[in-house]
Amino acid sequence: MADIEVGALLRFGGHDWRVLDIDGDRALVIAEHILEQRPYHDAYTDITWADCALRRYLNGAFCERFSAAERQRIVPVVNKNLDNQWYGTAGGADTEDRVFLLSIEEAVCRYFGDSSARLYDQGRKRRYWFERKDANNGRRTARLLSGGIWWWWLRSPGRVGVKAVYIHGDGNIGIQGNNILIGNLADGWCTGGVRPAMWVKVE
């Protein structure tokens, strides 16, 4: 794993991971596919990443699926959780995570091309989504392990405390957010795609 580059795929814990960044002897990776579909939280109440059920799951049961040797390679980091740039919804406390979701800043400004102009200049006609013609949309699309395209969660808050930002199936940013639990599907749940991210040692 020592000779990897940004953009490369590496196999870890039985899944393919895309390298987003390298810092010394560690690399930031994100699951190449949507590994599962889950609600953001287990109750329909105002919540932030720090206290949500999805964070507990990723840093608990999900992390425990890795072997002891693999867990030794996962580096805990402190994540900043900023307020929503369009709506001002509180992002909550900073968190120490081993496994996490990307923030809106990471997905929009850093790792899938730079669409920061759309994030920091809302414009008069954009209320809920970024422009569907954003040149970087194609970089943010993701597929389920079964092959179908699906939307996936970011950890950032949506326009109110019961919503979290997501990436639409076409790669567009749903900055207004999807409901953290209650949805419109037959089972009543809002099951977004989960693409875990983490820093792993590469030497």
Side-chain angles (χ1 to χ4, degrees):
M1 294 175 60
D3 296 327
I4 63 171
E5 298 178 347
V6 170
L9 279 178
L10 64 85
R11 191 76 175 171
F12 186 80
H15 294 291
D16 290 327
W17 302 78
R18 182 73 61 179
V19 177
L20 300 179
D21 196 4
I22 297 174
D23 182 10
D25 66 347
R26 62 182 191 167
L28 174 62
V29 299
I30 187 172
E32 177 70 0
H33 297 94
I34 293 168
L35 299 187
E36 49 191 304
Q37 295 163 275
R38 284 179 169 266
Y40 189 88
H41 193 47
D42 54 10
Y44 194 62
T45 186
D46 286 359
I47 201 72
T48 62
W49 169 248
D51 298 313
C52 75
L54 188 50
R55 176 174 178 255
R56 291 198 304 269
Y57 167 72
L58 289 174
N59 285 277
F62 178 85
C63 192
E64 289 301 313
R65 294 180 190 171
F66 295 102
S67 69
E70 288 167 341
R71 290 197 299 273
Q72 287 293 319
R73 303 184 79 114
I74 301 173
V75 181
V77 295
V78 174
N79 282 314
K80 300 287 185 182
N81 299 300
L82 302 182
D83 298 348
N84 186 294
Q85 287 80 0
W86 286 16
Y87 302 101
T89 316
D94 296 348
T95 52
E96 182 175 298
D97 300 307
R98 301 187 72 189
V99 186
F100 51 93
L101 304 179
L102 295 183
S103 69
I104 189 170
E105 299 83 10
E106 291 163 341
V108 171
C109 306
R110 300 186 200 174
Y111 301 129
F112 301 97
D114 185 359
S115 299
S116 56
R118 300 188 187 279
L119 179 61
Y120 295 110
D121 181 12
Q122 178 179 353
R124 292 187 300 173
K125 296 183 179 180
R126 296 203 303 274
R127 293 186 58 196
Y128 303 121
W129 298 276
F130 280 23
E131 293 290 344
R132 295 191 181 278
K133 295 181 180 179
D134 186 338
N136 293 312
N137 281 353
R139 302 183 184 188
R140 294 186 288 254
T141 59
R143 292 183 177 273
L144 303 166
L145 290 171
S146 60
I149 292 176
W150 194 250
W151 62 274
W152 50 285
W153 292 115
L154 300 179
R155 70 176 188 266
S156 303
R159 64 181 174 85
V160 291
V162 293
K163 293 181 181 291
V165 177
Y166 68 101
I167 307 293
H168 194 271
D170 65 3
N172 197 15
I173 306 294
I175 193 169
Q176 89 288 354
N178 255 345
N179 288 343
I180 58 173
L181 178 64
I182 300 172
N184 298 319
L185 300 180
D187 63 5
W189 305 125
C190 196
T191 49
V194 180
R195 293 185 74 188
M198 56 190 175
W199 285 90
V200 296
K201 295 178 182 177
V202 294
E203 291 184 353

